[in-house]
Amino acid sequence: MSVIILYSTRSRSTEKMANAIAEGASEKGVEVKVYSLRRYTFEDVVGDLERAKAIVIGSPTHNYKPAYEVEILLSKLEGLNVKGKLGAAFGSYGWSGEGAYEVQNKMKRLGFNMVSEPLTVVEEPNQEHLEKCRELGRVIAEKVAGS
């Protein structure tokens, strides 16, 4: 497993971002899996998390913090050896964008090597935003291929 992308979404904006990141990474020929944290639990994906070279986590901002499912994932990642894995955070928001930054901060504390600053979008991603997501996927894939 090369890249795993996990996300939570309510309005599908973060989902669209996740799929665009996956498209970009796939263009570079790396294996990518995408999981909605509203459909899959930590236990469903733990094997892929352990095997992944890069873990990308997306969250909308809800009440100035990441979505509940993302917070659960981050707390459970404490039990895995993720130190040194590549990481990235992304998300959408309506009026405050702290969620993706909180995800990144937690990932850094867990020992991830973050490949970029969080990629954030206000409301619905447009084509320009989705291209930035695809570019993030390409960057992640290049780093995975080089590791």
Side-chain angles (χ1 to χ4, degrees):
M1 169 58 50
S2 294
V3 178
I4 183 169
I5 302 169
L6 305 109
Y7 69 92
S8 180
T9 192
R10 287 192 181 166
S11 64
R12 297 196 56 224
S13 295
T14 307
E15 177 181 22
K16 290 174 184 175
M17 295 175 73
N19 290 330
I21 293 167
E23 286 173 22
S26 295
E27 287 174 13
K28 296 293 184 176
V30 300
E31 182 184 1
V32 181
K33 288 192 179 178
V34 180
Y35 293 105
S36 166
L37 293 171
R38 291 181 163 248
R39 290 188 211 116
Y40 295 93
T41 66
F42 177 81
E43 291 72 20
D44 294 331
V45 300
V46 67
D48 286 342
L49 288 167
E50 291 173 331
R51 289 185 297 277
K53 292 184 179 179
I55 298 174
V56 184
I57 301 174
S59 179
T61 298
H62 293 243
N63 297 319
Y64 308 102
K65 59 186 180 180
Y68 176 75
E69 301 87 3
V70 173
E71 289 185 325
I72 295 296
L73 169 68
L74 291 167
S75 70
K76 291 189 175 189
L77 283 176
E78 292 176 12
L80 293 182
N81 182 14
V82 295
K83 189 172 183 173
K85 287 185 185 276
L86 297 171
F90 67 97
S92 59
Y93 62 96
W95 60 88
S96 68
E98 298 92 342
Y101 289 91
E102 285 196 29
V103 170
Q104 175 180 271
N105 291 338
K106 177 68 174 196
M107 292 178 80
K108 283 181 178 179
R109 285 193 301 274
L110 290 170
F112 281 91
N113 293 327
M114 304 303 287
V115 301
S116 71
E117 288 298 310
L119 180 58
T120 60
V121 171
V122 179
E123 302 289 344
E124 184 83 15
N126 61 29
Q127 287 306 311
E128 180 182 335
H129 299 130
L130 294 175
E131 182 52 38
K132 288 181 182 179
C133 292
R134 284 188 283 276
E135 182 56 30
L136 176 59
R138 291 181 201 108
V139 168
I140 293 165
E142 288 169 1
K143 291 187 180 289
V144 163
S147 65

